[in-house]
């Protein structure tokens, strides 16, 4: 029965072309890049039930376990080398702290033996420091790799992922309001001048 079920799921897969690469669209909602063995998932919303319970809306407390079970099935089908979680992995910032020890153990088991990249989404503000640090580092690393591998200007890549009225442009607007570009330029200039002075004094 299990092999027949997996065969039926395979029949429902659809291959799509994206930027010259063949990507498999899985009926679960995940995307798989066979050539790179990368699985992409999004909007897991772990601990959604407990988030609603905090507000007095009682839902069955099994959503996280169910989501991890279904995610495990996808991982079993494709055996990816890397997994990219494209944001909103937890329903809110307190989700990781509310997660049961059993679900934590299950998540760690799914992560075992592969790279796992967490990317922050609009529900991921207020994460614990260790998770937030890893998310930020992976975001910077991913951006740097895109610049190096595509050879495109960072501004061009920024435009490609920015949609009108979206979260990215809203964040960029705040950075511009704070004059971040000018601050960074001033910092580089100050460091350059300091380096010159140190070179003259040595």
């Amino acid at each position: 029965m299990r092999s027949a079920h997996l065969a039926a799921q395979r029949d429902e897969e659809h291959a799509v072309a994206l930027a010259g690469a063949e990507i498999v669209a899985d009926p679960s909602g995940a995307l798989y890049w066979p050539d790179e063995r990368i699985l992409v998932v999004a909007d897991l919303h772990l601990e959604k039930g407990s988030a609603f319970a905090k507000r007095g809306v009682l839902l069955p407390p099994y959503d996280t376990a169910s989501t991890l079970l279904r995610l495990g099935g996808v991982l079993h089908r494709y055996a990816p080398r890397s997994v990219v979680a494209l944001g909103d992995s937890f329903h809110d910032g307190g989700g990781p702290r509310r997660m049961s020890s059993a679900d934590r153990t299950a998540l760690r088991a799914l992560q075992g033996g592969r790279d796992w990249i967490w990317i922050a989404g609009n529900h991921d503000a207020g994460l614990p420091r260790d998770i937030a640090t890893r998310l930020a580092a992976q975001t910077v690393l991913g951006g740097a790799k895109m610049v190096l591998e595509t050879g495109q200007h960072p501004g061009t890549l920024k435009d490609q992922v920015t949609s009108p009225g979206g979260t990215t442009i809203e964040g960029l607007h705040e950075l511009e309001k704070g004059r971040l570009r000018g601050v960074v330029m001033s910092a580089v200039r100050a460091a350059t001048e300091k380096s010159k002075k140190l070179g003259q004094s040595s």
Side-chain angles (χ1 to χ4, degrees):
M1 284 293 293
R2 178 173 174 78
S3 60
H5 179 62
L6 288 175
Q9 285 185 315
R10 287 287 189 186
D11 291 339
E12 295 175 5
E13 295 172 356
H14 296 283
V16 296
L18 182 63
E22 183 177 286
I23 306 297
V24 175
D26 188 84
S28 67
L31 295 176
Y32 181 61
W33 187 359
D35 289 346
E36 299 295 331
R37 292 182 59 197
I38 295 175
L39 182 75
V40 180
V41 298
D43 296 298
L44 299 176
H45 283 272
L46 301 174
E47 292 304 308
K48 182 175 183 177
S50 63
F52 274 85
K54 283 179 58 183
R55 301 197 294 270
V57 181
L58 300 182
L59 299 176
Y62 313 117
D63 58 292
T64 295
S66 174
T67 297
L68 293 177
L69 182 63
R70 285 183 284 124
L71 179 57
V74 177
L75 293 172
H76 178 71
R77 282 201 296 280
Y78 297 106
R81 180 173 54 206
S82 304
V83 175
V84 179
L86 283 180
D88 295 346
S89 298
F90 287 90
H91 190 69
D92 65 1
R97 289 185 291 272
R98 295 193 305 273
M99 200 174 191
S100 71
S101 59
D103 288 338
R104 285 178 183 273
T105 299
L107 179 56
R108 290 193 187 99
L110 295 179
Q111 292 178 284
R114 56 176 56 93
D115 293 329
W116 197 291
I117 301 171
W118 299 96
I119 297 178
N122 63 305
H123 281 257
D124 294 322
L127 291 175
R129 183 173 184 176
D130 58 334
I131 296 178
T133 299
R134 182 167 176 77
L135 283 173
Q138 291 288 359
T139 300
V140 173
L141 176 62
K145 288 185 68 176
M146 285 184 68
V147 171
L148 293 173
E149 292 175 2
T150 66
Q152 296 186 50
H153 189 277
T156 302
L157 295 173
K158 180 256 302 178
D159 291 341
Q160 292 174 359
V161 299
T162 303
S163 55
T167 55
T168 301
I169 193 64
E170 189 70 18
L172 290 170
H173 175 64
E174 290 299 318
L175 292 176
E176 290 295 333
K177 280 170 56 178
R179 302 175 183 268
L180 176 66
R181 189 179 315 196
V183 171
V184 172
M185 292 172 67
S186 295
V188 172
R189 183 180 295 119
T192 301
E193 293 300 322
K194 184 64 174 180
S195 176
K196 290 179 180 179
K197 290 178 181 179
L198 290 174
Q200 291 170 357
S201 62
S202 61

